[in-house]
mmCIF file of all heavy atoms in Angstrom:
data_model
loop_
_atom_site.group_PDB
_atom_site.id
_atom_site.type_symbol
_atom_site.label_atom_id
_atom_site.label_comp_id
_atom_site.label_asym_id
_atom_site.label_seq_id
_atom_site.Cartn_x
_atom_site.Cartn_y
_atom_site.Cartn_z
ATOM 1 N N VAL A 160 -109.737 22.710 29.575
ATOM 2 C CA VAL A 160 -109.925 22.371 30.988
ATOM 3 C C VAL A 160 -110.814 23.399 31.670
ATOM 4 O O VAL A 160 -111.708 23.060 32.466
ATOM 5 C CB VAL A 160 -108.564 22.269 31.703
ATOM 6 C CG1 VAL A 160 -108.747 22.159 33.218
ATOM 7 C CG2 VAL A 160 -107.779 21.075 31.178
ATOM 8 N N MET A 161 -110.590 24.687 31.354
ATOM 9 C CA MET A 161 -111.415 25.751 31.929
ATOM 10 C C MET A 161 -112.894 25.519 31.667
ATOM 11 O O MET A 161 -113.750 25.776 32.519
ATOM 12 C CB MET A 161 -111.006 27.106 31.343
ATOM 13 C CG MET A 161 -109.716 27.683 31.878
ATOM 14 S SD MET A 161 -109.125 29.074 30.858
ATOM 15 C CE MET A 161 -110.573 30.133 30.798
ATOM 16 N N LEU A 162 -113.213 25.043 30.474
ATOM 17 C CA LEU A 162 -114.612 24.897 30.064
ATOM 18 C C LEU A 162 -115.257 23.627 30.605
ATOM 19 O O LEU A 162 -116.484 23.586 30.781
ATOM 20 C CB LEU A 162 -114.707 24.909 28.540
ATOM 21 C CG LEU A 162 -114.307 26.219 27.852
ATOM 22 C CD1 LEU A 162 -114.344 26.045 26.342
ATOM 23 C CD2 LEU A 162 -115.217 27.360 28.280
ATOM 24 N N PHE A 163 -114.439 22.586 30.862
ATOM 25 C CA PHE A 163 -115.024 21.281 31.164
ATOM 26 C C PHE A 163 -114.692 20.751 32.551
ATOM 27 O O PHE A 163 -114.973 19.586 32.831
ATOM 28 C CB PHE A 163 -114.591 20.261 30.099
ATOM 29 C CG PHE A 163 -115.076 20.613 28.719
ATOM 30 C CD1 PHE A 163 -114.187 21.032 27.747
ATOM 31 C CD2 PHE A 163 -116.423 20.524 28.403
ATOM 32 C CE1 PHE A 163 -114.626 21.364 26.472
ATOM 33 C CE2 PHE A 163 -116.875 20.850 27.132
ATOM 34 C CZ PHE A 163 -115.981 21.270 26.160
ATOM 35 N N VAL A 164 -114.111 21.576 33.417
ATOM 36 C CA VAL A 164 -113.849 21.108 34.779
ATOM 37 C C VAL A 164 -115.173 20.893 35.510
ATOM 38 O O VAL A 164 -116.189 21.518 35.188
ATOM 39 C CB VAL A 164 -112.985 22.112 35.572
ATOM 40 C CG1 VAL A 164 -111.573 22.147 35.040
ATOM 41 C CG2 VAL A 164 -113.621 23.479 35.585
ATOM 42 N N PRO A 165 -115.200 20.004 36.507
ATOM 43 C CA PRO A 165 -116.429 19.784 37.290
ATOM 44 C C PRO A 165 -116.874 21.059 38.002
ATOM 45 O O PRO A 165 -116.072 21.975 38.230
ATOM 46 C CB PRO A 165 -116.016 18.702 38.297
ATOM 47 C CG PRO A 165 -114.795 18.073 37.722
ATOM 48 C CD PRO A 165 -114.100 19.134 36.929
ATOM 49 N N ASP A 166 -118.128 21.103 38.356
ATOM 50 C CA ASP A 166 -118.678 22.286 39.038
ATOM 51 C C ASP A 166 -117.957 22.584 40.346
ATOM 52 O O ASP A 166 -117.895 23.735 40.779
ATOM 53 C CB ASP A 166 -120.171 22.087 39.309
ATOM 54 C CG ASP A 166 -120.991 22.079 38.027
ATOM 55 O OD1 ASP A 166 -120.478 22.566 37.003
ATOM 56 O OD2 ASP A 166 -122.131 21.578 38.055
ATOM 57 N N SER A 167 -117.428 21.553 40.967
ATOM 58 C CA SER A 167 -116.736 21.753 42.240
ATOM 59 C C SER A 167 -115.392 22.453 42.073
ATOM 60 O O SER A 167 -114.799 22.888 43.063
ATOM 61 C CB SER A 167 -116.515 20.406 42.941
ATOM 62 O OG SER A 167 -115.763 19.533 42.105
ATOM 63 N N PHE A 168 -114.917 22.552 40.827
ATOM 64 C CA PHE A 168 -113.636 23.219 40.569
ATOM 65 C C PHE A 168 -113.793 24.242 39.443
ATOM 66 O O PHE A 168 -112.905 24.440 38.639
ATOM 67 C CB PHE A 168 -112.571 22.182 40.204
ATOM 68 C CG PHE A 168 -111.157 22.712 40.289
ATOM 69 C CD1 PHE A 168 -110.559 22.934 41.511
ATOM 70 C CD2 PHE A 168 -110.439 22.989 39.134
ATOM 71 C CE1 PHE A 168 -109.271 23.426 41.593
ATOM 72 C CE2 PHE A 168 -109.135 23.483 39.202
ATOM 73 C CZ PHE A 168 -108.555 23.703 40.442
ATOM 74 N N VAL A 169 -114.942 24.887 39.384
ATOM 75 C CA VAL A 169 -115.240 25.809 38.292
ATOM 76 C C VAL A 169 -114.233 26.962 38.254
ATOM 77 O O VAL A 169 -113.811 27.478 39.296
ATOM 78 C CB VAL A 169 -116.685 26.350 38.420
ATOM 79 C CG1 VAL A 169 -116.842 27.217 39.660
ATOM 80 C CG2 VAL A 169 -117.079 27.110 37.168
ATOM 81 N N LEU A 170 -113.809 27.322 37.047
ATOM 82 C CA LEU A 170 -112.858 28.414 36.860
ATOM 83 C C LEU A 170 -113.498 29.606 36.152
ATOM 84 O O LEU A 170 -113.206 30.757 36.461
ATOM 85 C CB LEU A 170 -111.651 27.927 36.049
ATOM 86 C CG LEU A 170 -110.728 26.939 36.752
ATOM 87 C CD1 LEU A 170 -109.699 26.372 35.768
ATOM 88 C CD2 LEU A 170 -110.011 27.613 37.919
ATOM 89 N N VAL A 171 -114.328 29.319 35.169
ATOM 90 C CA VAL A 171 -114.984 30.394 34.419
ATOM 91 C C VAL A 171 -116.307 30.711 35.098
ATOM 92 O O VAL A 171 -117.238 29.901 35.076
ATOM 93 C CB VAL A 171 -115.221 29.992 32.956
ATOM 94 C CG1 VAL A 171 -115.937 31.111 32.212
ATOM 95 C CG2 VAL A 171 -113.896 29.664 32.278
ATOM 96 N N ALA A 172 -116.383 31.879 35.719
ATOM 97 C CA ALA A 172 -117.584 32.288 36.445
ATOM 98 C C ALA A 172 -117.814 33.775 36.229
ATOM 99 O O ALA A 172 -116.881 34.526 35.947
ATOM 100 C CB ALA A 172 -117.436 31.980 37.936
ATOM 101 N N SER A 173 -119.055 34.171 36.336
ATOM 102 C CA SER A 173 -119.386 35.598 36.270
ATOM 103 C C SER A 173 -119.634 36.107 37.676
ATOM 104 O O SER A 173 -119.801 35.331 38.623
ATOM 105 C CB SER A 173 -120.625 35.815 35.399
ATOM 106 O OG SER A 173 -121.757 35.214 36.000
ATOM 107 N N ALA A 174 -119.675 37.420 37.815
ATOM 108 C CA ALA A 174 -119.806 38.017 39.141
ATOM 109 C C ALA A 174 -121.114 37.645 39.822
ATOM 110 O O ALA A 174 -121.220 37.703 41.048
ATOM 111 C CB ALA A 174 -119.683 39.533 39.031
ATOM 112 N N ALA A 175 -122.111 37.256 39.036
ATOM 113 C CA ALA A 175 -123.404 36.895 39.609
ATOM 114 C C ALA A 175 -123.452 35.456 40.098
ATOM 115 O O ALA A 175 -124.405 35.063 40.771
ATOM 116 C CB ALA A 175 -124.508 37.121 38.572
ATOM 117 N N ASP A 176 -122.436 34.656 39.783
ATOM 118 C CA ASP A 176 -122.434 33.243 40.167
ATOM 119 C C ASP A 176 -122.013 33.057 41.620
ATOM 120 O O ASP A 176 -121.167 33.798 42.139
ATOM 121 C CB ASP A 176 -121.479 32.444 39.271
ATOM 122 C CG ASP A 176 -121.942 32.408 37.829
ATOM 123 O OD1 ASP A 176 -123.154 32.556 37.591
ATOM 124 O OD2 ASP A 176 -121.079 32.228 36.944
ATOM 125 N N GLN A 177 -122.558 32.018 42.244
ATOM 126 C CA GLN A 177 -122.136 31.703 43.609
ATOM 127 C C GLN A 177 -120.671 31.269 43.659
ATOM 128 O O GLN A 177 -120.002 31.434 44.682
ATOM 129 C CB GLN A 177 -123.017 30.587 44.182
ATOM 130 C CG GLN A 177 -124.450 31.016 44.480
ATOM 131 C CD GLN A 177 -125.247 29.916 45.137
ATOM 132 O OE1 GLN A 177 -124.854 28.755 45.120
ATOM 133 N NE2 GLN A 177 -126.382 30.287 45.722
ATOM 134 N N ALA A 178 -120.179 30.727 42.542
ATOM 135 C CA ALA A 178 -118.803 30.228 42.497
ATOM 136 C C ALA A 178 -117.776 31.323 42.213
ATOM 137 O O ALA A 178 -116.586 31.027 42.091
ATOM 138 C CB ALA A 178 -118.684 29.136 41.441
ATOM 139 N N TRP A 179 -118.219 32.567 42.104
ATOM 140 C CA TRP A 179 -117.312 33.651 41.726
ATOM 141 C C TRP A 179 -116.123 33.756 42.674
ATOM 142 O O TRP A 179 -114.975 33.730 42.247
ATOM 143 C CB TRP A 179 -118.075 34.970 41.672
ATOM 144 C CG TRP A 179 -117.233 36.196 41.490
ATOM 145 C CD1 TRP A 179 -116.917 37.129 42.422
ATOM 146 C CD2 TRP A 179 -116.578 36.630 40.280
ATOM 147 N NE1 TRP A 179 -116.121 38.116 41.893
ATOM 148 C CE2 TRP A 179 -115.909 37.829 40.582
ATOM 149 C CE3 TRP A 179 -116.502 36.114 38.990
ATOM 150 C CZ2 TRP A 179 -115.160 38.529 39.628
ATOM 151 C CZ3 TRP A 179 -115.765 36.813 38.039
ATOM 152 C CH2 TRP A 179 -115.102 37.995 38.360
#
Side-chain angles (χ1 to χ4, degrees):
V160 170
M161 284 167 53
L162 295 175
F163 298 110
V164 290
D166 292 341
S167 58
F168 196 73
V169 66
L170 291 171
V171 178
S173 65
D176 295 335
Q177 290 184 344
W179 172 255

